[in-house]
Amino acid sequence: MRKLGINVRKRAWAARTALLMSGISLLAASPAMAQEGQSTEDAEGAHQAEDTTHTSGGEIVVTALKRNTRLQDTPLAISAVTGDSLERAGTTSFTELTQNTPSLRIVDNGPGNRRVILRGVVGAGEPTVGVYYDESPVAGSVGTTSDAASSTPDFRVFDVERAEVLRGPQGTLYGSGSMGGTVRIIYEKPKTDLLEGAASVNLSAVKGGSPGASVDAMINLPIVSDKLALRVVGSYQQFAGYIDNSYYGTKDINDGYSYSGRALLRFTPTDDLTIDLGAYYTKVSTDASRWFFETGERHTTNARSESGNYDENRIYSGTLRYDFGSVALTAVSTYFDRDRIVVGDVSDNFNGRNNAAGCARYLLGNTAGVCTPGQLSSYLDLTNSILFSSLYQPQSVKNWSNEVRLSSTGSGPFNWTFGGFLEDRKSKVRSTLLSASPLSGELNPFVPANIYYDRTINDHLKQKALFAELSYKFFDKLTATVGSRWYEYDKTVGGIVQQGQIHYASVPSAYTEAQTTENGFVHKFNLSYEFSRDLMIYAQAAEGFRPGGVNQAIGLPVALTGYSADSLWNYEVGVKSQPIQGVYLNLTGYQIDWSNMQVSARTAGTGSVFGLISNVGAARIRGVEAELNATPIQGLSLIANVGYTDAKLSEDQVSSIVVAAGRKGDRLPFVPKWNVSASAEYIWGLSDTLEGSVRIDGSYVGSSYSTLAATDVFRRKVDDYGVINARIGVQAPDGNWSAQLYVNNLFDALAITTKSTSANTGGLTVTHGTPPRTIGLNLIKRFR
């Protein structure tokens, strides 16, 4: 089966790779014109508060509270890792942060199709975890099911300053979509006093698959000394394919590509004023990495039509920071622009329908009826045409967000942040059913005769908010923090069915539109007590929320059109400690009470039945998290993370209006009870100019289920799994170059990360997982 758009693009791969390699050669040939030295960025300057990483005794300074705080002094559950650590672990995607964070789960259905879960907070609808690149939030596409949470975009992680994962609701400072937590990727910023560059080349081979490769390059250009600088990063990746199609006898069908880049411009006309402008871009083009479990062969599908993801994401941002002395002003404006095409094989949905019984059921709507010869002939022509078919869904998101805030910068006992936020997000999704060639599975989306269903939905979300967070330290030990956020949102959804489909019980309809609006408050309360610099305890009660919306189902009764915001309260107690020199141990226990849940449901009663999102049921999540970071001897680093999550419904998902599958005691989907990760890295001197390094990373993820109810015919168990990665290499003591050999999935474990099924797959189990054993070489060179 030819991959949609892939073969044509493959012919340009060699040219692109040669161009990138030429760029690396130019970097390598550049003389080290810049003098050795450190950046002049002021560690304490408030105008640098959003992007400055410092260490003190190996500890990271973070900006999770939108001001500088030492990681161990920040009274919330936060995991942070520096860019150097990410690089040494071979991390290239935010999805790999699960190796560094307890209670973080990413339901990975391939690039651009990822759902981020923290502390078991998962549900249909808007995201439950906010994802930020620098100051810019990114948005998923609402798709055909109003489920924007399932399509989190993924920008490449290279030239990163640090990553922060804030566990638990961040509703007061980060707003909607952060009810489970927030993930922040903070890139390195331009340096106005240093010409530098970096290049990374990665070559890999996957067991039973095709070769993979990636090239990343960075250059930092001071334009006006101490005033203006530009930092440019470019990346290209050729995916190593390992999914085979047994129906057509094709191999490695998911060997697509991605390329990305960003340009960051920093202007510091005075010591007090910093202006950052940024442009970010990423593009992914690949067949889906899904396979059918029922084939009995690992990483094998017998799909009869194409599946894939073709995704372009653009971010344009501007950030202004001004230090007034005791007060800092930060203003951020971000425009996020996304275009994607989601293609999914649905051929198996129509299996067994091309007969007289199918005609009676789907054409007449009466299983006891009998089609006339003419009706049967027409029905069979239609149904036979879509026995090889895919849903082809072009989608777009245009999101403009703005935030202005004032924060205190003094070292006194009183600290505060006040701000305002505006967002305007417009989404559009067109869903079409296309027939495919029975000989190759190829689609032709540009021939109207191949379209057998056509629906378009417009989704418009507008939000505004005011927020404040105040803290005061009593007796130099006890700190009390209170926060609140007022929000208001307006959601408008309109749709039209241009072409109906009898198998979907859909008929053409005129454009209709519905609207919902809501406002409210969320709050936060925190008490922390510092016994010493090495021991702090805290207790917190924090509220999170996400907007409601309007269902896309055309023809839905007015009373069921809208659904409201859902919210939760998170109660936690934590300890942050340094029991002995070089050892950091943090423990957290929490309980989450989630009410008025947004869930996928169906209408109750005996009339017309609709699938929709509604508010019904409640959940209680209890968990424990532990983080250990130790350097027992020089050169040896040990890290361990343990998360236990018990996430269950506390009420039946049943009301007089809708019925959903869940019942009290059911486990929330895709939430394993245990996730454990650990790493050990040792670096030692081989000579005055050479160091050796060895690193082992391991992770274990417990079992989970794809849906709530044990009686659900579409429920699938996702078995537990463990994965070991290993790296060995040599490097320069000053970090200017390194060469690493690595093996990911060392023992070639069948690590299935997700399973799902539906009527669209004819009950077959769509499976995604970690790639087979992968052997690779990574070369990194820095120029200064």
Side-chain angles (χ1 to χ4, degrees), residues 473-629:
K473 180 175 283 191
F474 300 89
F475 323 118
D476 203 33
K477 295 288 186 181
L478 177 66
T479 301
T481 302
V482 295
S484 187
R485 187 183 190 97
W486 171 84
Y487 66 88
E488 182 176 274
Y489 70 83
D490 181 277
K491 188 77 171 285
T492 303
V493 174
I496 181 174
V497 177
Q498 293 97 330
Q499 183 173 340
Q501 169 57 242
I502 60 172
H503 292 284
Y504 295 160
S506 173
V507 297
S509 65
Y511 184 83
T512 59
E513 194 171 88
Q515 182 181 31
T516 185
T517 185
E518 192 173 356
N519 58 59
F521 287 88
V522 292
H523 307 287
K524 170 184 172 180
F525 306 94
N526 185 290
L527 281 175
S528 63
Y529 191 87
E530 295 181 70
F531 293 92
S532 69
R533 179 179 172 84
D534 299 330
L535 179 61
M536 180 185 73
I537 63 171
Y538 72 90
Q540 177 170 279
E543 193 175 8
F545 80 103
R546 58 179 174 158
V550 177
N551 281 291
Q552 295 181 4
I554 298 172
L556 194 67
V558 175
L560 302 179
T561 300
Y563 53 96
S564 63
D566 58 352
S567 63
L568 55 78
W569 274 99
N570 175 91
Y571 309 96
E572 69 181 80
V573 176
V575 178
K576 295 195 167 187
S577 67
Q578 185 180 1
I580 59 176
Q581 185 67 31
V583 177
Y584 299 89
L585 176 63
N586 298 336
L587 301 171
T588 309
Y590 63 89
Q591 175 175 302
I592 295 174
D593 291 325
W594 186 2
S595 60
N596 204 35
M597 296 176 67
Q598 294 176 19
V599 300
S600 296
R602 60 179 175 83
T603 52
T606 58
S608 298
V609 176
F610 294 89
L612 72 160
I613 293 178
S614 186
N615 300 94
V616 60
R620 171 162 288 176
I621 305 170
R622 291 178 172 141
V624 178
E625 300 161 339
E627 300 173 280
L628 175 68
N629 192 317

Side-chain angles (χ1 to χ4, degrees), residues 755-769:
K755 286 182 180 179
S756 63
T757 188
S758 67
N760 276 337
T761 68
L764 295 176
T765 304
V766 175
T767 307
H768 293 82

Side-chain angles (χ1 to χ4, degrees), residues 157-390:
V157 175
F158 177 75
D159 195 41
V160 168
E161 187 175 293
R162 71 182 178 278
E164 298 177 5
V165 179
L166 289 61
R167 308 190 301 275
Q170 309 296 322
T172 54
L173 289 179
Y174 292 93
S176 66
S178 288
M179 64 191 301
T182 300
V183 176
R184 304 175 69 219
I185 304 296
I186 300 166
Y187 290 115
E188 289 281 4
K189 299 303 183 296
K191 298 179 175 65
T192 58
D193 64 344
L194 183 65
L195 173 63
E196 64 175 348
S200 173
V201 177
N202 190 80
L203 304 173
S204 64
V206 176
K207 179 182 177 182
S210 61
S214 67
V215 180
D216 300 273
M218 175 276 295
I219 187 167
N220 185 91
L221 298 171
I223 300 172
V224 179
S225 179
D226 296 329
K227 299 293 183 184
L228 185 66
L230 175 68
R231 197 175 188 95
V232 179
V233 177
S235 302
Y236 179 80
Q237 181 178 12
Q238 177 73 28
F239 300 128
Y242 55 91
I243 304 297
D244 298 335
N245 186 290
S246 59
Y247 191 89
Y248 293 104
T250 51
K251 301 287 187 180
D252 310 327
I253 63 174
N254 61 321
D255 59 345
Y257 69 86
S258 73
Y259 55 85
S260 60
R262 65 181 179 274
L264 303 177
L265 182 71
R266 168 161 285 188
F267 181 42
T268 53
T270 70
D271 291 341
D272 299 324
L273 177 62
T274 298
I275 299 172
D276 285 316
L277 301 177
Y280 311 70
Y281 177 82
T282 186
K283 180 175 183 177
V284 174
S285 181
T286 180
D287 262 28
S289 57
R290 72 180 201 170
W291 50 285
F292 288 142
F293 194 79
E294 286 79 5
T295 63
E297 298 288 337
R298 293 173 60 167
H299 309 118
T300 300
T301 179
N302 58 4
R304 303 195 297 273
S305 186
E306 295 182 14
S307 297
N309 184 55
Y310 312 93
D311 196 2
E312 284 189 271
N313 295 271
R314 296 162 288 267
I315 298 175
Y316 308 99
S317 67
T319 303
L320 180 149
R321 303 182 184 91
Y322 194 87
D323 183 3
F324 291 96
S326 59
V327 177
L329 168 70
T330 303
V332 183
S333 184
T334 298
Y335 184 73
F336 174 70
D337 186 12
R338 184 179 194 184
D339 292 296
R340 66 192 296 247
I341 299 173
V342 180
V343 184
D345 171 48
V346 293
S347 305
D348 289 301
N349 186 28
F350 308 106
N351 290 344
R353 298 188 183 187
N354 54 337
N355 50 44
C359 182
R361 178 178 179 181
Y362 296 104
L363 182 63
L364 303 181
N366 179 7
T367 56
V370 178
C371 291
T372 66
Q375 290 173 326
L376 180 59
S377 176
S378 176
Y379 170 81
L380 291 177
D381 287 344
L382 168 66
T383 306
N384 288 331
S385 297
I386 54 178
L387 292 178
F388 294 73
S389 59
S390 291

Side-chain angles (χ1 to χ4, degrees), residues 442-462:
E442 295 179 21
L443 296 173
N444 189 342
F446 308 110
V447 177
N450 286 343
I451 299 177
Y452 289 83
Y453 171 71
D454 196 351
R455 184 187 75 157
T456 300
I457 296 292
N458 296 314
D459 185 295
H460 189 189
L461 173 67
K462 298 178 71 173

Side-chain angles (χ1 to χ4, degrees), residues 110-153:
N113 290 290
R114 291 168 171 138
R115 184 188 302 274
V116 187
I117 305 169
L118 272 166
R119 289 189 170 175
V121 181
V122 56
E126 294 292 321
T128 60
V129 175
V131 177
Y132 288 73
Y133 291 90
D134 289 327
E135 285 271 4
S136 301
V138 294
S141 169
V142 296
T144 58
T145 57
S146 299
D147 191 14
S150 65
S151 58
T152 304

Side-chain angles (χ1 to χ4, degrees), residues 721-738:
Y721 63 88
V723 173
I724 301 292
N725 300 333
R727 303 175 74 88
I728 186 170
V730 292
Q731 61 192 38
D734 59 5
N736 273 348
W737 66 268
S738 67

